[in-house]
Amino acid sequence: MGGRREAAMAGARRRASEDDAVPTRIGQAVMLHRGGDREEARNRLSELWRELHQGGAGGDPFHRCALAHYLADTQDDPADELRWDLLALAAADRIADADRRPAAGEVRAFYPSLHLNLAADYAKLGRPEAARGQLALARASARGLVEGPYGDGVRAAIHRLALR
């Protein structure tokens, strides 16, 4: 019996280690994107997405949310960008609906940015009503952001998109 327990614990440690590596790998790809290597960033994020979905469950919803959010930014086609942003929002909703997960509080801070990105996607696709609806959701959810670089940046981006 001890052998099974040790094997199960070793498997759990391995999965935890792999889960810890996901944010690091996302961050590395984001740095590539910000450094101008959009294609390599997209390739790495896409590979990570495939890895998370190999088992069928799709991995941790928080990782899926962040991964889809950043994958959207690497897309060349606005329709593909919209698809990834919708996947990010769906993952965020799954976390927020569970509300028992520690990540539920963290993901709420993503909502203004998620809705802002969707508004921008719809604007690029010539869907002004959908863009305005998402912009309204971005504004409403941004009220909960604390003052600081992230909150101020998101609010400024919402204002800039509203002016367009």
Side-chain angles (χ1 to χ4, degrees):
M1 184 111 159
R4 272 193 246 165
R5 185 178 357 194
E6 288 173 11
M9 289 178 68
R13 281 193 299 273
R14 186 177 57 254
R15 283 188 301 279
S17 176
E18 290 167 359
D19 284 348
D20 290 345
V22 171
T24 300
R25 291 175 63 194
I26 292 171
Q28 290 168 340
V30 169
M31 289 189 325
L32 281 169
H33 181 239
R34 290 182 180 157
D37 197 344
R38 182 182 192 129
E39 184 176 353
E40 182 61 21
R42 181 175 46 239
N43 291 340
R44 289 188 187 196
L45 292 169
S46 295
E47 175 60 27
L48 184 52
W49 184 267
R50 281 189 293 279
E51 288 174 22
L52 289 176
H53 285 78
Q54 280 177 348
D60 181 274
F62 189 78
H63 293 162
R64 281 198 322 270
C65 177
L67 186 53
H69 185 59
Y70 290 117
L71 253 166
D73 293 340
T74 66
Q75 301 305 305
D76 297 323
D77 182 338
D80 291 336
E81 188 173 357
L82 173 63
R83 183 175 62 85
W84 284 109
D85 280 329
L86 289 169
L87 286 170
L89 181 62
D93 286 344
R94 184 169 171 210
I95 296 166
D97 288 346
D99 208 41
R100 63 190 180 287
R101 297 174 41 87
E106 291 176 42
V107 82
R108 282 188 185 90
F110 280 178
Y111 275 99
S113 181
L114 293 170
H115 289 298
L116 173 64
N117 286 356
L118 286 166
D121 296 343
Y122 286 125
K124 287 179 204 171
L125 292 166
R127 297 175 58 188
E129 288 303 314
R132 281 192 280 280
Q134 288 297 319
L135 196 56
L137 292 170
R139 266 196 204 107
S141 57
R143 291 186 199 118
L145 292 177
V146 296
E147 298 294 321
Y150 176 74
D152 295 345
V154 170
R155 282 186 286 274
I158 291 169
H159 180 73
R160 285 192 303 273
L161 184 58
L163 292 176
R164 287 197 341 229

